[in-house]
Amino acid sequence: MSQFPAPTPLEWRDAAIKALKDRPLESLIHLDADQLATRPLYGTANATGAVFAPRPSDSEGRSWDLRAIVEGGDAAELNTSILTDLENGAASVLVSGSVTTDAAKLTRALEGVALELAPVALDAGFDGVKAGEALDAVAKASPRAKLSFHLDPVSAYARAGGAPSDFAAILKDAASKAAGWASTYPEARLFLASGQVAHEAGASIAQELAFALSSAVAYVKALVEAGVSTEKALSPLTLGVAVDQQYFDSLAKVRALRILWSNVSKAFGHEVQAQIEARSSRRMLSARDPWPNMLRLTAAGFAGSVGGADVVVLDAFTRAAGLPDDFARRQARNTQLILMEESNLGRVDDPASGSWYLDARTRELAEAAWTEFQAIESEGGIVAALEGHVIQPRIARAREFIEKAYQNGSAQIIGVTKFVDPDVRAVSVTEDVSEAVSYDAFEALKPVRIAAAFEEAGQ
């Protein structure tokens, strides 16, 4: 059996220079928003060492939790959606909207759901404690209930640019409630330390990871102050990260977060496996022509699963235009089901390990994120860094870098800046009537959607 000859780096260089003609070899090197270089060739000559960051998995079963998003205020409609999701492939649900804070409505929405089998997660912002109390009422102190309270007041604080009352008191109250729920529900996840709010505001990968880590540190410290042991404060924490259409970067981001959390938990004296929830990016979605979003969401789901996320949450492809219908929700479920059950992406632990490029990228992102994390902590932590206007200008610079790439054509959005469909087929959505809460204590991390500027200019 004949084999192709393996070219040396020098032979590759000569071939590349010839193919580039008048362009310099350096034109193949690209910088990202963290000013990290992506080189054209990776191998033993520029290797940084292997990285192995697997999630704890069962290759014969479901390697990750397929979580469906359910949004709205009508409890009966949400109940139909939740049961449909769980009966058709979803393993858990993420409930968002006004229904979360009303115990009677949440009970109706979760009617028929076995909380001991199907985890229920919440997304309630500043109403996290109130929503948690409603979920507690539904669970009726069942010790086997798999609840994800997902308390995340830091993200709500950053997104709103302030809080309805003293934030220190809000965090203290959340930690106190979480400490009680930890005793009642030993399998519950308490806090969600997510970098999603930074990502949606235009942050670089390192900035997003650092935001998640600093939030995690704030939550662990708050739980310890509430009387929870350090080890028990670390274990029920979920780390949140965004995944988008840049699947190599996204899967490297997930891997980097697992490595970073190992270091942070060690610093607390107890090394704990990271529980990572990867949620699809909304800043990558298009609204005028939502159909290409299916490809973006597939890439995001691929990144989350291959990167080793424990939970993967994909938006419906029409989410940028409004709340999705049944068809769009089914597409969101089926995208993951195909990745899981037909593509078998979960049957290998950390399949990216051993790739010269992905190992190098993972390590570089982890190192850059650690530097950002140390900068935040040196300012007194995530809350002080937000209030002191340390984080906002850094994210603004990253957002400007990303937006310029689309403006000058070095990056494209299919269906928006390239291959624009003049006659887009309509989709069915319901208007999203939720309103963003805003305060003026400091500059808020407001979400951006990259396609919006181009869609508005083309109208």
Side-chain angles (χ1 to χ4, degrees):
M1 182 177 177
S2 60
Q3 293 183 341
F4 291 104
T8 65
L10 184 58
E11 290 172 330
W12 178 90
R13 178 185 178 88
D14 291 340
I17 291 174
K18 183 178 179 180
L20 286 169
K21 297 181 180 177
D22 296 331
R23 293 170 56 200
L25 190 62
E26 289 72 21
S27 64
L28 298 178
I29 299 174
H30 302 283
L31 294 179
D32 66 6
D34 288 308
Q35 300 305 297
L36 299 176
T38 297
R39 301 182 292 277
L41 185 67
Y42 289 80
T44 55
N46 54 8
T48 58
V51 173
F52 187 51
R55 65 171 162 245
S57 65
D58 174 14
S59 61
E60 297 303 320
R62 282 192 158 189
S63 298
W64 71 88
D65 178 343
L66 192 170
R67 180 163 292 171
I69 306 174
V70 185
E71 302 175 86
D74 188 298
E77 289 182 2
L78 260 63
N79 179 250
T80 299
S81 297
I82 289 170
L83 294 180
T84 299
D85 284 331
L86 294 175
E87 290 168 359
N88 290 276
S92 65
V93 292
L94 174 63
V95 186
S96 177
S98 59
V99 71
T100 60
T101 57
D102 186 309
K105 288 184 177 180
L106 190 59
T107 299
R108 175 67 183 92
L110 295 175
E111 187 176 325
V113 178
L115 298 180
E116 294 81 9
L117 300 175
V120 172
L122 300 173
D123 182 2
F126 281 126
D127 290 325
V129 168
K130 190 175 180 181
E133 290 172 340
L135 186 59
D136 180 23
V138 177
K140 299 177 181 178
S142 171
R144 294 187 295 111
K146 297 179 179 178
L147 311 179
S148 291
F149 292 100
H150 269 21
L151 297 167
D152 189 10
V154 169
S155 288
Y157 194 46
R159 187 181 296 110
S165 59
D166 178 58
F167 183 75
I170 291 174
L171 180 56
K172 183 177 181 179
D173 183 42
S176 177
K177 288 289 184 180
W181 292 328
S183 300
T184 306
Y185 305 104
E187 296 187 43
R189 314 297 305 181
L190 302 177
F191 280 93
L192 171 67
S194 177
Q196 187 104 23
V197 65
H199 169 88
E200 301 296 0
S204 68
I205 293 176
Q207 290 166 350
E208 177 188 353
L209 292 174
F211 193 100
L213 290 177
S214 292
S215 297
V217 168
Y219 294 149
V220 171
K221 288 180 177 178
L223 281 170
V224 170
E225 289 178 5
V228 179
S229 69
T230 303
E231 186 174 7
K232 289 185 177 180
L234 291 164
S235 298
L237 188 75
T238 300
L239 299 166
V241 70
V243 284
D244 60 19
Q245 80 283 7
Q246 302 292 339
Y247 50 86
F248 280 151
D249 275 356
S250 290
L251 72 86
K253 180 198 302 186
V254 176
R255 298 175 80 221
L257 182 56
R258 193 169 294 282
I259 295 168
L260 288 163
W261 182 243
S262 175
N263 290 338
V264 171
S265 61
K266 281 180 184 176
F268 275 107
H270 301 277
E271 184 175 5
V272 174
Q273 278 276 5
Q275 168 86 4
I276 299 175
E277 179 184 279
R279 184 168 176 174
S280 60
S281 163
R282 288 187 175 177
R283 82 182 191 194
M284 73 170 177
L285 298 179
S286 55
R288 178 190 169 273
D289 184 359
W291 298 96
N293 289 335
M294 289 188 185
L295 298 176
R296 299 183 184 103
L297 290 162
T298 301
F302 173 88
S305 57
V306 174
D310 301 276
V311 180
V312 179
V313 188
L314 295 186
D315 267 312
F317 74 99
T318 58
R319 187 58 186 83
L323 298 179
D325 63 3
D326 290 341
F327 170 73
R329 291 176 52 77
R330 179 163 60 88
Q331 288 297 114
R333 285 195 311 271
N334 286 352
T335 295
Q336 283 204 63
L337 288 173
I338 291 171
L339 293 172
M340 180 185 293
E341 298 181 1
E342 295 189 23
S343 300
N344 292 299
L345 294 186
R347 294 187 66 84
V348 176
D349 285 341
D350 197 13
S353 182
S355 162
W356 296 115
Y357 165 59
L358 292 175
D359 281 349
R361 184 66 171 156
T362 298
R363 188 180 297 277
E364 288 170 357
L365 289 175
E367 291 172 350
W370 191 257
T371 299
E372 292 281 346
F373 168 65
Q374 288 179 314
I376 293 173
E377 291 302 300
S378 69
E379 294 292 332
I382 189 69
V383 175
L386 285 167
E387 294 172 343
H389 201 248
V390 174
I391 293 174
Q392 294 90 330
R394 297 174 69 84
I395 290 179
R397 287 194 292 272
R399 181 176 64 246
E400 183 180 2
F401 181 94
I402 294 167
E403 290 173 341
K404 279 184 177 179
Y406 291 100
Q407 291 166 359
N408 64 29
S410 59
Q412 293 88 30
I413 307 174
I414 300 302
V416 178
T417 65
K418 192 173 183 179
F419 306 120
V420 179
D421 187 347
D423 186 20
V424 178
R425 181 158 53 103
V427 294
S428 173
V429 296
T430 303
E431 183 183 1
D432 183 5
V433 296
S434 61
E435 296 182 2
V437 179
S438 181
Y439 301 94
D440 296 318
F442 53 84
E443 183 182 348
L445 294 183
K446 296 181 179 179
V448 297
R449 193 169 55 81
I450 304 298
F454 301 95
E455 291 170 338
E456 292 168 3
Q459 290 178 351

